[in-house]
Amino acid sequence: REEPDIMGLAKAAGYKTFWLTNQNAFLLNTVFGQQADQFTLVNAGIGQRSDTSLDEKLLPEFDKALADPAERKFIVLYTIGSHQHYQLRYPENFAIYDDADDEVAHEMAAKWSALAVARNHYDDTIRYTDFFLSSVISRLKADKVENSEMLYLSDHGQEVGHLTNVWGHQLRLESGFTVPVILWLKNNPDLLAKKNALEQRPYQTDRIDWTILSRL
């Protein structure tokens, strides 16, 4: 409330800003998304766990943003990701772990059967997120901009039988707050030279605004 957020910083730095969201989250879409030059909501649901809107619905809107003639663009893709209910977060052809006989299935065999099912659905969501991110990167590779970058992170994790016999938000457990951060660079040899050191360095996502500011 006392410092500018990343949308305001990007606009001040001369970027045209886009907030493309598949998560019908009233607070974030209102407080942050409505600041963007272009706001697009692709989810017709009511912002509940029963929403069935797939994240790939963002890709056509992302294509439109990439085609925008603005010289500098800051694009936020706000996904549902792996939010419960997990089985609603991917299409049927991504349900590849449901009957898998693998190491995870053996680990889950001694746990509650409903938990094992939830874990399989959760793993399917991760595979689908990989597909979504690869689709974003493919578009950036093909785009005419030579120095584009993609930064991906989750706002929280999920406990799915890693440490307990439950699934869902567990903010007091490592599985609930240890999240992935991915930085993809199209063309930045100086930063790529530091790749190994950066991968080993601890990072807290509550500093993400200043990390992004350094990339603008």
Side-chain angles (χ1 to χ4, degrees):
R1 297 178 183 273
E2 297 178 356
E3 297 179 353
D5 60 66
I6 193 59
M7 298 303 292
L9 292 172
K11 294 180 77 170
Y15 286 77
K16 183 172 183 178
T17 55
F18 300 78
W19 184 277
L20 312 178
T21 177
N22 188 36
Q23 192 163 159
N24 200 349
F26 177 80
L27 176 62
L28 295 181
N29 285 338
T30 301
V31 174
F32 301 108
Q34 293 293 338
Q35 297 183 50
D37 298 306
Q38 176 69 49
F39 175 89
T40 303
L41 173 65
V42 300
N43 185 343
I46 59 175
Q48 302 295 326
R49 292 181 177 182
S50 58
D51 286 355
T52 58
S53 183
L54 297 175
D55 284 333
E56 63 193 76
K57 291 173 66 175
L58 288 169
L59 296 175
E61 301 303 325
F62 184 51
D63 289 335
K64 295 176 185 177
L66 291 178
D68 188 281
E71 182 179 356
R72 309 174 82 186
K73 289 173 281 191
F74 181 79
I75 305 170
V76 174
L77 298 171
Y78 184 22
T79 65
I80 297 182
S82 297
H83 271 283
Q84 299 182 67
H85 301 290
Y86 307 132
Q87 67 270 27
L88 302 180
R89 303 296 163 239
Y90 53 89
E92 184 177 346
N93 59 310
F94 277 82
I96 61 175
Y97 295 116
D98 291 2
D99 299 311
D101 182 17
D102 55 17
E103 183 178 343
V104 173
H106 299 163
E107 174 191 342
M108 301 298 293
K111 296 181 179 289
W112 185 25
S113 60
L115 175 59
V117 172
R119 173 65 168 266
N120 286 335
H121 291 326
Y122 174 77
D123 288 346
D124 290 333
T125 72
I126 299 302
R127 181 66 177 266
Y128 182 68
T129 295
D130 286 349
F131 155 75
F132 178 79
L133 293 178
S134 69
S135 299
V136 171
I137 291 172
S138 295
R139 285 162 166 76
L140 293 176
K141 285 182 176 179
D143 188 60
K144 62 182 179 180
V145 177
E146 293 297 326
N147 60 343
S148 56
E149 301 179 1
M150 183 199 76
L151 179 65
Y152 168 81
L153 75 156
S154 301
D155 56 347
H156 59 80
Q158 293 277 311
E159 165 59 23
V160 194
H162 299 96
L163 303 171
T164 70
N165 286 320
V166 300
W167 65 88
H169 291 51
Q170 291 289 329
L171 300 183
R172 292 182 175 85
L173 298 175
E174 183 178 355
S175 54
F177 59 77
T178 299
V179 299
V181 177
I182 300 171
L183 176 63
W184 178 85
L185 307 170
K186 187 173 183 178
N187 183 22
N188 191 317
D190 292 337
L191 198 56
L192 285 171
K194 304 174 184 177
K195 175 177 179 292
N196 292 335
L198 290 171
E199 287 178 347
Q200 300 302 318
R201 190 175 70 180
Y203 183 78
Q204 291 185 203
T205 57
D206 57 1
R207 306 297 297 172
I208 197 68
D209 48 352
W210 302 113
T211 299
I212 295 175
L213 182 60
S214 73
R215 309 305 312 143
L216 295 178

